[in-house]
Amino acid sequence: MLYHLFEYLEKTYTFPGEQLYQFISFRSAMAIIFSLGISTIYGKRIINYLTKKQIGESVRDLGLEGQTEKAGTPTMGGVIIIIATLIPVLLFAKLNNIYVILLIVTTLWMGAIGFLDDYIKTFRKDKEGLKGIFKVIGQVGLGIIVGATIYFHPDITIKENPQVPLSASAVELISSAEAEKVEVTPEEKSTKTTIPFVKNNEFDYASLITWINPEWSKYAWMIFIPIVIFIVTAVSNGANLTDGIDGLAAGSSAIIVLTLGLFAWVSGNIIFSDYLNVMYIPRTGEMTIYISAFAGALVGFLWYNTFPAQVFMGDTGSLTIGGIIAVLALATRKELLIPLLCGVFLIENLSVVMQVGWFKYTRKKFGEGRRIFLMSPLHHHFQKAGFHESKIVVRFWIIGIFLAIVTIVTLKIR
């Protein structure tokens, strides 16, 4: 809103200071400051409100150390993350940018699904919450929206080998939102994505169908949209499973989001994308404001969510986080890096799949179920093994940082 207001004041009254709002770096800095302030200062008020309304977590007895002490801790804390993200975005981002609109829709959509799940658990006293089939329907619905928007919307394009005329103003354009003024290569609709560690690292999803008949390229959406649905569903469920001990999901997600923020800024900047020889995606730079606000909200939420947690994010937060990460990766054409960047989510997911699969197999073959881990997801295995949850969380964060660095290195190593 402020961006559009200052733009109007500059055009109408030559308002001083308006040029600051043309810089993505300035608006990103303001977004993260505001989100940190909202999540830390007003987060306490929201926690007090949740406590007053007795919106507490009902804990199942899994035999974990310190588990019973967590009963009654306020849940639905994901509301703090959502509010602290959306307010700065509405203030500082270009609200007519399709990527920003898509991220806002994702936040509200997944937040609503998670909120409904937490509501049923808390007020209906149903520990199962929203039935799994309805969660999946919601995730698939979002996947269809995201996939169709990326595929069909005219503003979601790429530029291959954009020619950048270097001049004295090039340095200024590096941090300016007006970099598109030097573009001379036409934009094109494409289903191309980036393959890590490979030279000439672009893969076109349309090739999965055009090898049969080149004229079938117009039906590439039939391949692309299901892939998007799978990614959105997998990442949101991965974040949901990771939210099991204090600070794990929020901290791991903040690392992932900041890494994707770097990719969004580089991919949306014609100078850096040309220098690093990565796919230039017009208008993605604006996502940096959203990512800054989101990262600030996650870090601010950690103020109250680190051990011992004063609030849990609940499915309101975890499903929203996963959905946003999936959309960010898809928008920056870095979804094939998800298994690496979101490695913590992946191992949590795999530990559950392996545990359940092995248990069912051995029960059928030997008459009794056997387990690979002491408990799944994986963080509970380490709790059962006697590790304190703070140590588990910090070590998972360290693994997440390592994976983020390796992911960033893919910009140059091919």
Side-chain angles (χ1 to χ4, degrees):
M1 292 180 183
L2 291 179
Y3 175 86
H4 298 288
L5 173 63
F6 276 85
E7 187 177 45
Y8 168 77
L9 292 174
E10 167 66 16
K11 290 179 180 178
T12 309
Y13 304 107
T14 316
F15 193 82
E18 186 276 336
Q19 287 298 317
L20 273 176
Y21 279 82
Q22 295 295 324
F23 291 90
I24 289 175
S25 55
F26 171 77
R27 289 186 285 132
S28 296
M30 294 301 295
I32 199 168
I33 290 169
F34 269 64
S35 62
L36 274 169
I38 292 168
S39 55
T40 52
I41 298 171
Y42 290 96
K44 183 62 176 177
R45 297 185 183 183
I46 295 173
I47 293 169
N48 291 338
Y49 176 81
L50 294 174
T51 305
K52 182 179 178 182
K53 294 295 180 179
Q54 297 183 331
I55 304 176
E57 181 80 2
S58 56
V59 178
R60 291 182 295 176
D61 186 9
L62 300 175
L64 298 172
E65 183 182 354
Q67 181 187 19
T68 54
E69 287 83 352
K70 296 186 179 187
T73 302
T75 188
M76 289 189 181
V79 171
I80 298 172
I81 298 172
I82 293 171
I83 292 173
T85 299
L86 291 182
I87 290 176
V89 168
L90 293 174
L91 286 174
F92 299 106
K94 290 182 181 178
L95 300 181
N96 57 354
N97 181 284
I98 184 57
Y99 293 106
V100 172
I101 294 170
L102 198 57
L103 286 167
I104 292 173
V105 170
T106 299
T107 304
L108 296 174
W109 186 285
M110 296 304 292
I113 295 171
F115 183 87
L116 184 58
D117 183 62
D118 288 335
Y119 179 86
I120 293 171
K121 288 178 182 175
T122 305
F123 293 100
R124 299 291 179 86
K125 305 302 179 183
D126 183 352
K127 292 182 180 180
E128 298 301 319
L130 186 65
K131 291 186 181 299
I133 184 64
F134 294 115
K135 285 185 183 179
V136 172
I137 290 172
Q139 291 165 333
V140 170
L142 178 64
I144 292 172
I145 292 171
V146 173
T149 302
I150 292 175
Y151 187 85
F152 292 108
H153 199 282
D155 285 347
I156 296 182
T157 58
I158 68 167
K159 286 197 174 204
E160 295 193 270
N161 303 315
Q163 301 299 312
V164 186
L166 297 177
S167 66
S169 61
V171 175
E172 178 68 13
L173 287 166
I174 287 176
S175 57
S176 171
E178 300 300 318
E180 63 267 16
K181 291 181 180 178
V182 299
E183 303 163 14
V184 295
T185 308
E187 298 179 17
E188 60 177 287
K189 291 293 296 178
S190 176
T191 54
K192 288 183 178 179
T193 190
T194 304
I195 304 175
F197 301 113
V198 176
K199 194 172 183 178
N200 301 319
N201 59 341
E202 292 179 357
F203 172 75
D204 195 344
Y205 289 117
S207 64
L208 296 174
I209 193 171
T210 54
W211 69 271
I212 303 173
N213 188 335
E215 294 182 1
W216 287 8
S217 60
K218 59 184 176 183
Y219 300 115
W221 62 269
M222 298 176 67
I223 300 291
F224 181 72
I225 292 178
I227 291 172
V228 172
I229 291 171
F230 172 77
I231 292 170
V232 169
T233 304
V235 178
S236 59
N237 285 331
N240 189 236
L241 288 172
T242 305
D243 181 33
I245 51 180
D246 300 347
L248 179 57
S252 300
S253 300
I255 295 165
I256 294 168
V257 166
L258 287 170
T259 305
L260 288 171
L262 177 64
F263 283 124
W265 190 57
V266 169
S267 299
N269 187 291
I270 195 168
I271 307 292
F272 283 151
S273 60
D274 179 64
Y275 171 71
L276 294 169
N277 192 27
V278 298
M279 186 185 296
Y280 173 53
I281 313 171
R283 291 171 287 277
T284 54
E286 196 65 21
M287 289 196 298
T288 310
I289 289 91
Y290 188 99
I291 291 166
S292 298
F294 188 45
L298 288 169
V299 173
F301 180 76
L302 271 174
W303 186 272
Y304 302 106
N305 187 237
T306 48
F307 181 85
Q310 296 173 256
V311 65
F312 300 139
M313 68 170 65
D315 283 12
T316 306
S318 60
L319 289 176
T320 304
I321 287 170
I324 292 171
I325 289 172
V327 173
L328 288 172
L330 287 161
T332 54
R333 316 286 173 127
K334 299 294 185 292
E335 65 272 17
L336 297 183
L337 281 168
I338 286 176
L340 177 61
L341 177 59
C342 302
V344 171
F345 292 176
L346 179 63
I347 59 174
E348 294 278 38
N349 256 330
L350 287 178
S351 68
V352 173
V353 172
M354 292 168 62
Q355 184 89 320
V356 173
W358 182 248
F359 185 87
K360 289 181 177 179
Y361 170 76
T362 52
R363 184 173 61 182
K364 183 178 180 180
K365 186 170 183 178
F366 303 109
E368 63 174 2
R370 300 175 184 178
R371 292 174 172 83
I372 300 172
F373 305 103
L374 297 176
M375 183 179 287
S376 65
L378 189 60
H379 55 261
H380 287 326
H381 167 81
F382 291 113
Q383 278 187 285
K384 281 282 192 178
F387 290 90
H388 192 277
E389 61 180 280
S390 293
K391 179 169 286 190
I392 298 168
V393 169
V394 172
R395 287 182 175 177
F396 271 58
W397 286 354
I398 293 169
I399 293 170
I401 292 169
F402 171 77
L403 293 174
I405 293 170
V406 174
T407 303
I408 293 169
V409 167
T410 64
L411 284 170
K412 289 301 291 182
I413 295 183
R414 299 171 195 169

